[in-house]
């Protein structure tokens, strides 16, 4: 039982490390799809770099703002109220 907890803890730690490295080393430029003249919506999916599996409950923010949200269990996120134009998440 202790081996299972240790393996699960190590896997969780590795996933957090991968996510931290992913966030620290990559930014994605996206074009906000305009729903009005001044604001748009960004939709996307966050995946684990090593496994390619979707990451649920990952925080996603538009750089330089407090606008953001969490991914769902399938790694999908939607951020609304984003200034139109090119943004970095």
């Amino acid at each position: 039982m202790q081996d299972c907890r240790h393996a699960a803890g190590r896997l969780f730690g590795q996933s957090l490390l991968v996510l931290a490295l992913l966030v620290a080393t990559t930014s994605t430029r996206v074009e906000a799809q305009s729903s009005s003249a001044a604001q748009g919506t960004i939709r996307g999916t966050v995946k684990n770099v090593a496994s390619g599996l979707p990451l649920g409950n990952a925080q996603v923010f538009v750089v330089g703002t407090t606008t953001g949200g969490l991914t769902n269990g399938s790694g999908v996120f939607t951020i609304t109220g984003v200034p139109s134009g090119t943004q970095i998440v």
Side-chain angles (χ1 to χ4, degrees):
M1 182 73 167
Q2 189 172 9
D3 288 338
C4 290
R5 284 189 208 146
H6 181 68
R10 186 177 41 198
L11 179 60
F12 179 72
Q14 288 173 344
S15 294
L16 286 179
L17 177 60
V18 168
L19 178 58
L21 290 174
L22 173 66
V23 172
T25 60
T26 62
S27 296
T28 303
R29 289 187 183 272
V30 293
E31 188 73 25
Q33 296 176 354
S34 184
S35 59
S36 70
Q39 295 184 338
T41 300
I42 298 173
R43 293 181 182 87
T45 304
V46 177
K47 296 182 179 181
N48 181 302
V49 174
S51 69
L53 296 174
L55 290 174
N57 296 316
Q59 293 183 355
V60 181
F61 287 94
V62 178
V63 173
T65 74
T66 57
T67 304
L70 291 174
T71 61
N72 65 17
S74 299
V76 176
F77 68 91
T78 300
I79 303 172
T80 59
V82 178
S84 293
T86 302
Q87 303 295 333
I88 300 173
V89 295

